[in-house]
Amino acid sequence: MLKEKQRKHMTETYQPHAIEVKWQQRWDETKLYRAKVDWDKPKHYALTMLPYPSGDLHIGHWFAMTPSDARARWMRMKGYNVLFPMGFDAFGLPAEQAAISRNIHPWKWTYANIERMREQLRSMGAMFDWEREAISCTPEYYKWSEWFFKRFYEHGIAYRGSALVNWSESLQTVLANEQVIDGKDERTGQPVAHKMMEQWFFAITNYADELLDFDGMDWPESIKIMQTNWIGRSEGARATFRTAASASGGDATSNAEGAPNDDAASNAESAYGRAGGSSPTESSGHPIEIYTTRPDTLWGATFMVLAPEHDLVDVITAEEQREAVEAYVRQTALETEIERMVEDRERTGVFTGAYAINPVNDEAIPIWIADYVMITYGTGAIMAVPAHDQRDFEFARAQALPIRVVIQPEGMTEPLRPDAMSEAYDGPGVMVNSDAMDGSVSTFAKGRANPAINRVIDWLEETGKGEEAVNYRLRDWLISRQRYWGGPIPMMYDGDIIIPVPDEDLPVLLPEDVDFMPTGRSPLTYHEPFFKVNETVRRETDTLDTFMCSSWYQLRYLSPDLDTAPFDAEEAAYWLPVDVYTGGAEHAVMHLLYTRFFNKVLRDIGVYADAAEAMRRHGRDPDGAFDEPMIVLRNQGQVLGAERQGDFVLCSGRLIGGKMLAERVEVVDWNQVPAGFAGVFGEIAHRTENVLHVNMAGVTQFVEVLPEAETIISDIPGANNVNQLRHHLDIQRMSKSKGNVVNPDELVAKYGADVVRCYLMFNFDWQKGGPWNENNIKGPQGWLHDIWEIAAAGAPTAPGDAAAERDIERKLHQTIAVINRGLEDFSFNTAIAEQMKFKNSFKATLRDGAIGAEMWRDVMSQVIRLLAPFAPHIAEEIWARLGWEYSVHTQRWPQYDADKAREEMVDLVVMINGKPRETITVAVDIERERAQEMALASGAAQRSLGGQAPKRTIFIPGRNGSDPKVNIVV
RNA sequence: GCCUCCGUAGCUCAGGGGUAGAGCGCUCCCUUGGUAAGGGCGAGGUCAUGAGUUCAAAUCUCAUCGGAGGCUCCA
């Protein structure tokens, strides 16, 4: 009976599906992955970006999550108490679009998707603790998003303000700057327009400086650089120009036509004359503040430019210029961001008829408006220094405005002449034409580090003409959206008065009984029971940007069911901060910047106070623990679609005007072209409907397949048609429209989850990604198969060979070292490759009959534990079959032993003039004298020396695995 | 235009001053009682190009070429 069973066990092949489902259930039942606070154990919070419930799990989710899971499992086996939660970022536009186009309520659509994706996520065999699941669209969750909003409002972080915002016509909502890429909406790729609107903002700019500090954060350099660039800190000065009393007043040159075009005079004492001692009175001049990073060029300002949207445009424009100015303003308003950003476009602008007094030299200069000055950056007004700024230079040339050199280039003996310049000079030099500042040395350095800038800033401050200033490219985070499917903003209005919804009334619930009409407006705006609080009070109908929900989800996982606070302080004290965060780099300046900001606000408004107190009670120092939400960040790359060869076709028909009208198309092998074939043949490079673009020896031939044509594809049985012809597909992103998506469910059905996991980890550099190639799945499949076979064969009965066993032990420990390093560095591919290598050695040694039973069991016990994080199901199954205690996933990770990994004998390499010539087997710890002696005595050395003494002998001791060498220079 | 990363076998990738590596693929052979398979042998690389440093460069430096990503009237 027992014998029978034993035999069955021996011959059973690896059948992934049965064991995977079995163990997933067992893990659930035994709550194997439940993570609980345990102050006696070190904690590890591993977090992977939560998915949007779009309907189906994509292979990209597997690629992002399963390696993260392997690493979390490894940490757990190393003795950490690991939290690895999962949830859904469930508010957002696709649900609302589905509601409109398919008449299904967003709740239903979203929940159905979540149900489905939970099952798919389960099939990964990941160690998610599902009891900690958080879903951002539930009232239990968004109650706290609203609560945070109120706290932000109370602390002046959330405010309602009027600003030029990004309006997406296609989405019918405003968007944050971070969600606009190249002037287009990040989601749909549709152009975005600028609109002046009153909206809710978060004052992320208050934190600009702190967000630039990445101290103590182990984040990819590229992300830190992207965030730094996005914040865009620059140093310089602010100065206030005042409008001249009138264009004709003072000594200013009167020129109603616009600006003078006397280029030759531009380097003269003054282009327009000076206002002289009679500077404009306070009442006569409107202050126009400018920001510049080059205060050392203030004396070179020959005109000013305001953004067309600037408040003062209307005020200062002279009557005779009003028509032209207004026309220009209107035209600019119609332009989208994209049109305005096109490079090399003509520099357009209009003179306002007004002049401004340059505070440094009291000179009157004309004020223009032009679209190259952005209202959203700096003060929306610039002093134009055409000699030293390329944009101003181009504008000056286009509008025939004067140019004055105020930095004499370094190393140039002759004075730089404006009329000889073909571009602005922005290099180092000496200040000239700048009154008392002449002679100051300007370098490439920015801010105060530049001596000239430093001196000018001091002077500006002493004379009260300006001051040192720091400017940021970062704008405040626009948080309101004119959409339905988002968290309600807990605010009400009584006329102009803003009334926060009382805490006890939170959450403001999203009404369900709304009509989804394709009007582009949020259903909330015509849902009276929602927005009408009473006769005078109206509720806010805008909703929260979904990025707000995902800015704090790592906190909700701590206690997803808690209804008295956003998170439990005891849990937070133990688990926070997130130790390792993984996800896509596409969130560099969106989610990853927002969540850092959000966390800092929470810290500053005291949301972490209780958690800090709990930390102290447990003897952990809370200092700095809440400065950053995620300590280590790693981004996975992207799995791309596979390259595909197009079908090779023989087409016959008649040629008309360089195009073939084909009556017959046959798919063949490239080498099966009949001799003397007269038609078109080659690979299908592209196909649109029934027109084939055939690559015939490098030349594209067009073939129109006639409706009645015969199509023969021998691989596809039955009658074929033109739609079955496959065209060439380059490596590119996976997308439904390209038909190159890979469905993980199908892969799991075909190979099993463990094989898919291992394939994803093995075949790509995780942080880089790459093209899909299902052929390569055979590698990991064969590996797991072999492990299974080795286990199924059972322990050998013959006694082992001591030397061979020692060799295997050494290799095993060398392997452990590589796996540890691979997991530590997110180099999952190397960790698996090393295990494959070890398996090969072990298998070969087993075949030689050199492994004894005891050794076999010892090696297997370690091999299976090493395998467990990568292929959790098969590891669990083999572990159980070998009779060991449940579960392999709670076992201790094999301990690396450097002594066991050490080689005893190594090859001493004898090199002659740097070229290896011979090897001698020696002890690892061979000393210099002995090694050199042996090398000089070697045949190779004797031959090349020919009795002469060597010029030089260099000994290189072997270290970490490399062989010792002796280089003999002859 | 600027910034970051990267060019190693047919493919996907390790390595990294000291003998050029892995998996897949490929050739040939064996097995056909693990069979939508197994085993064995093997071929295949000027480490993108050029210069420099060194006893020694795939590795370090510089330049060039090529690729990927990001930023871009940022005053």
Side-chain angles (χ1 to χ4, degrees):
Chain A
M1 196 62 183
L2 209 142
K3 223 174 180 181
E4 188 82 340
K5 224 176 170 182
Q6 191 75 9
R7 249 189 41 154
K8 184 168 180 274
H9 162 225
M10 303 280 283
T11 54
E12 201 177 316
T13 55
Y14 172 42
Q15 281 159 359
H17 310 103
I19 65 174
E20 287 176 0
V21 171
K22 177 178 83 184
W23 287 114
Q24 283 162 16
Q25 281 172 358
R26 180 88 192 273
W27 294 334
D28 266 1
E29 288 157 15
T30 56
K31 293 188 185 294
L32 186 67
Y33 303 127
R34 185 81 181 99
K36 286 185 174 160
V37 171
D38 179 355
W39 282 94
D40 293 332
K41 280 169 107 181
K43 68 96 181 181
H44 180 79
Y45 190 171
L47 183 67
T48 185
M49 286 182 190
L50 82 178
Y52 177 79
S54 55
D56 260 310
L57 219 55
H58 186 261
I59 195 69
H61 291 118
W62 274 72
F63 186 62
M65 293 172 184
T66 57
S68 304
D69 173 62
R71 201 170 183 284
R73 288 175 174 280
W74 171 65
M75 290 301 287
R76 188 178 191 215
M77 291 177 79
K78 285 210 303 180
Y80 288 87
N81 188 17
V82 176
L83 173 59
F84 189 53
M86 183 46 63
F88 296 93
D89 183 20
F91 271 137
L93 279 169
E96 204 165 338
Q97 305 291 24
I100 294 164
S101 61
R102 288 188 262 157
N103 198 27
I104 174 170
H105 197 281
W107 285 106
K108 270 195 182 158
W109 187 83
T110 303
Y111 273 93
N113 288 345
I114 288 175
E115 292 275 309
R116 174 168 174 72
M117 287 173 80
R118 264 197 209 119
E119 282 316 300
Q120 292 176 313
L121 284 164
R122 242 176 250 275
S123 76
M124 286 179 181
M127 58 173 286
F128 300 127
D129 175 1
W130 285 104
E131 290 184 46
R132 289 178 178 276
E133 183 193 49
I135 301 172
S136 67
C137 69
T138 59
E140 296 76 33
Y141 188 104
Y142 69 70
K143 171 181 177 178
W144 300 106
S145 296
E146 294 177 15
W147 187 84
F148 283 128
F149 186 95
K150 280 197 62 191
R151 300 292 86 80
F152 280 29
Y153 178 71
E154 287 158 9
H155 288 85
I157 297 292
Y159 66 92
R160 194 156 170 82
S162 199
L164 202 66
V165 299
N166 306 294
W167 173 260
S168 165
E169 195 59 35
S170 56
L171 297 175
Q172 287 290 310
T173 181
V174 297
L175 295 170
N177 284 354
E178 288 77 9
Q179 291 150 33
V180 177
I181 293 166
D182 291 340
K184 286 178 266 183
D185 152 37
E186 177 258 327
R187 288 185 44 83
T188 65
Q190 293 304 305
V192 164
H194 275 168
K195 249 189 179 178
M196 208 62 189
M197 287 176 83
E198 198 172 272
Q199 297 287 320
W200 284 99
F201 291 90
F202 281 172
I204 191 170
T205 50
N206 291 6
Y207 286 83
D209 272 324
E210 207 193 335
L211 289 169
L212 285 169
D213 179 10
F214 297 94
D215 214 32
M217 291 167 73
D218 180 2
W219 279 32
E221 210 52 40
S222 59
I223 298 285
K224 293 196 271 187
I225 288 165
M226 276 192 257
Q227 293 201 348
T228 303
N229 290 343
W230 185 261
I231 294 167
R233 180 192 157 99
S234 70
E235 293 171 19
R238 254 195 299 272
T240 305
F241 286 56
R242 281 181 185 280
T243 52
S246 75
S248 55
D251 298 335
T253 309
S254 171
N255 189 342
E257 299 306 307
N261 54 8
D262 186 1
D263 217 11
S266 58
N267 209 17
E269 172 66 7
S270 166
Y272 304 102
R274 295 204 174 201
S278 61
S279 60
T281 61
E282 287 296 312
S283 59
S284 70
H286 294 279
I288 306 176
E289 194 170 59
I290 59 111
Y291 169 77
T292 176
T293 54
R294 292 294 306 276
D296 55 329
T297 64
L298 263 164
W299 287 261
T302 51
F303 56 99
M304 276 191 92
V305 185
L306 305 186
E309 301 89 350
H310 198 284
D311 282 344
L312 279 177
V313 171
D314 202 36
V315 180
I316 64 169
T317 298
E319 278 317 308
E320 62 272 24
Q321 288 299 100
R322 189 162 295 275
E323 203 173 314
V325 166
E326 282 174 359
Y328 189 78
V329 170
R330 272 197 306 277
Q331 182 205 320
T332 311
L334 291 175
E335 287 175 349
T336 62
E337 183 85 348
I338 313 180
E339 289 162 341
R340 223 168 137 169
M341 282 196 330
V342 171
E343 275 181 64
D344 304 325
R345 72 194 299 244
E346 214 182 317
R347 295 259 173 237
T348 60
V350 175
F351 179 47
T352 61
Y355 288 79
I357 305 300
N358 185 342
V360 302
N361 57 8
D362 289 337
E363 192 173 301
I365 55 177
I367 305 171
W368 285 62
I369 59 169
D371 63 2
Y372 81 92
V373 173
M374 305 289 160
I375 189 66
T376 49
Y377 186 80
T379 61
I382 61 159
M383 60 150 182
V385 184
H388 306 293
D389 180 283
Q390 186 60 23
R391 293 152 301 172
D392 297 342
F393 181 87
E394 287 166 18
F395 190 79
R397 279 284 153 89
Q399 307 294 343
L401 287 159
I403 296 171
R404 182 195 296 153
V405 170
V406 290
I407 302 288
Q408 174 62 24
E410 192 175 83
M412 196 182 204
T413 45
E414 291 296 304
L416 180 61
R417 289 175 51 84
D419 50 357
M421 294 172 80
S422 58
E423 58 181 9
Y425 179 78
D426 59 3
V430 172
M431 287 179 68
V432 294
N433 296 322
S434 303
D435 303 332
M437 296 296 119
D438 281 0
S440 303
V441 175
S442 188
T443 62
F444 274 120
K446 298 188 189 308
R448 290 264 194 191
N450 184 329
I453 292 175
N454 186 47
R455 188 165 166 216
V456 171
I457 290 175
D458 282 345
W459 180 82
L460 285 173
E461 292 185 341
E462 280 160 26
T463 55
K465 293 174 191 293
E467 60 190 358
E468 183 173 9
V470 171
N471 192 54
Y472 301 93
R473 179 185 177 277
L474 182 72
R475 301 287 87 189
D476 276 346
W477 176 11
L478 173 54
I479 201 79
S480 42
R481 296 288 180 278
Q482 290 72 46
R483 303 298 308 205
Y484 164 75
W485 193 233
I489 294 176
M491 292 287 158
M492 302 176 289
Y493 305 94
D494 188 347
D496 287 341
I497 302 164
I498 295 173
I499 310 164
V501 174
D503 277 2
E504 56 270 26
D505 293 343
L506 296 186
V508 173
L509 288 169
L510 262 186
E512 289 186 49
D513 57 330
V514 296
D515 287 329
F516 290 95
M517 288 176 281
T519 60
R521 282 180 65 196
S522 163
L524 293 177
T525 58
Y526 15 65
H527 192 278
E528 198 171 290
F530 177 78
F531 68 72
K532 188 173 173 184
V533 180
N534 61 39
E535 285 315 310
T536 58
V537 178
R538 188 188 159 91
R539 195 182 292 285
E540 172 68 83
T541 54
D542 284 358
T543 52
L544 294 164
D545 179 4
T546 57
F547 278 108
M548 173 165 176
C549 306
S550 56
S551 288
W552 69 281
Y553 75 105
Q554 69 274 16
L555 303 174
R556 194 61 189 167
Y557 285 149
L558 301 172
S559 45
D561 302 321
L562 189 69
D563 62 0
T564 53
F567 58 89
D568 181 271
E570 285 287 325
E571 294 269 343
Y574 181 70
W575 294 112
L576 292 183
V578 172
D579 295 281
V580 174
Y581 194 32
T582 54
E586 66 274 17
H587 291 112
V589 294
M590 293 192 279
H591 166 63
L592 290 171
L593 191 63
Y594 295 148
T595 192
R596 289 183 65 213
F597 155 71
F598 208 93
N599 178 71
K600 287 174 191 298
V601 176
L602 298 194
R603 175 201 60 192
D604 291 347
I605 67 179
V607 172
Y608 290 128
D610 290 348
E613 185 48 45
M615 270 190 187
R616 271 185 220 103
R617 264 203 316 281
H618 288 283
R620 190 177 158 202
D621 183 6
D623 191 37
F626 304 108
D627 286 343
E628 289 290 343
M630 294 104 184
I631 305 304
V632 175
L633 171 74
R634 290 293 181 276
N635 301 118
Q636 78 273 2
Q638 203 169 29
V639 178
L640 302 169
E643 185 175 17
R644 186 181 71 193
Q645 292 303 115
D647 285 329
F648 195 95
V649 286
L650 299 177
C651 312
S652 37
R654 48 186 203 281
L655 278 163
I656 292 177
K659 184 164 89 174
M660 170 175 273
L661 298 179
E663 281 145 10
R664 187 175 187 281
V665 178
E666 183 180 5
V667 175
V668 296
D669 275 350
W670 63 272
N671 55 3
Q672 288 176 350
V673 183
F677 182 74
V680 170
F681 59 91
E683 186 193 352
I684 303 177
H686 193 69
R687 176 173 73 82
T688 44
E689 301 286 322
N690 63 334
V691 177
L692 312 178
H693 301 210
V694 178
N695 178 359
M696 189 168 168
V699 181
T700 302
Q701 301 282 346
F702 296 92
V703 177
E704 186 176 331
V705 183
L706 296 168
E708 68 276 14
E710 185 187 12
T711 307
I712 303 154
I713 309 171
S714 55
D715 289 350
I716 305 173
N720 303 133
N721 65 57
V722 67
N723 294 319
Q724 292 167 319
L725 291 168
R726 301 204 308 171
H727 66 81
H728 184 92
L729 203 60
D730 279 329
I731 292 168
Q732 51 193 338
R733 287 183 175 203
M734 287 188 187
S735 76
K736 278 183 187 163
S737 63
K738 288 176 198 130
N740 62 346
V741 289
V742 173
N743 180 344
D745 292 351
E746 284 170 18
L747 286 171
V748 171
K750 201 162 160 192
Y751 302 102
D754 284 337
V755 170
V756 176
R757 286 171 64 105
C758 291
Y759 166 70
L760 289 169
M761 287 187 248
F762 172 67
N763 221 260
F764 301 86
D765 173 340
W766 186 71
Q767 298 185 62
K768 207 151 61 177
W772 182 260
N773 182 350
E774 198 167 324
N775 230 3
N776 287 342
I777 209 163
K778 284 183 191 162
Q781 188 183 28
W783 168 50
L784 293 184
H785 223 97
D786 275 358
I787 299 275
W788 179 272
E789 295 299 333
I790 291 169
T797 45
D801 170 74
E805 289 191 345
R806 168 71 191 106
D807 196 48
I808 282 298
E809 177 187 63
R810 178 186 307 114
K811 287 201 167 88
L812 178 63
H813 281 272
Q814 290 172 349
T815 302
I816 295 172
V818 175
I819 297 173
N820 280 338
R821 193 156 53 98
L823 284 167
E824 183 66 45
D825 297 346
F826 298 80
S827 278
F828 304 97
N829 49 354
T830 59
I832 289 182
E834 207 61 21
Q835 291 184 78
M836 289 177 170
K837 279 197 246 179
F838 178 76
K839 181 270 292 176
N840 288 344
S841 309
F842 188 50
K843 197 171 160 182
T845 314
L846 275 172
R847 200 171 36 240
D848 295 344
I851 302 284
E854 196 182 330
M855 185 67 184
W856 184 87
R857 286 184 74 80
D858 181 50
V859 170
M860 286 307 284
S861 140
Q862 302 198 55
V863 163
I864 301 308
R865 279 180 282 154
L866 294 172
L867 177 65
F870 303 92
H873 312 89
I874 187 175
E876 190 80 285
E877 177 71 17
I878 294 175
W879 188 259
R881 285 187 184 225
L882 293 179
W884 291 317
E885 178 194 345
Y886 178 79
S887 154
V888 69
H889 301 295
T890 51
Q891 302 301 314
R892 228 196 61 211
W893 183 250
Q895 182 70 36
Y896 169 67
D897 185 333
D899 285 335
K900 288 182 178 165
R902 185 167 300 126
E903 302 277 354
E904 283 125 25
M905 299 300 282
V906 286
D907 286 343
L908 173 71
V909 181
V910 180
M911 301 166 90
I912 310 295
N913 293 333
K915 300 271 175 279
R917 290 286 179 255
E918 197 172 319
T919 61
I920 311 166
T921 304
V922 298
V924 249
D925 50 357
I926 187 163
E927 295 189 358
R928 175 181 300 266
E929 278 74 34
R930 180 77 190 121
Q932 291 185 348
E933 217 170 275
M934 289 178 78
L936 286 171
S938 71
Q942 290 299 317
R943 275 193 302 279
S944 18
L945 284 168
Q948 305 222 314
K951 250 191 193 163
R952 216 173 144 179
T953 318
I954 299 132
F955 173 69
I956 308 105
R959 46 176 151 62
N960 44 32
S962 81
D963 293 336
K965 286 127 200 139
V966 173
N967 188 16
I968 298 164
V969 185
V970 184

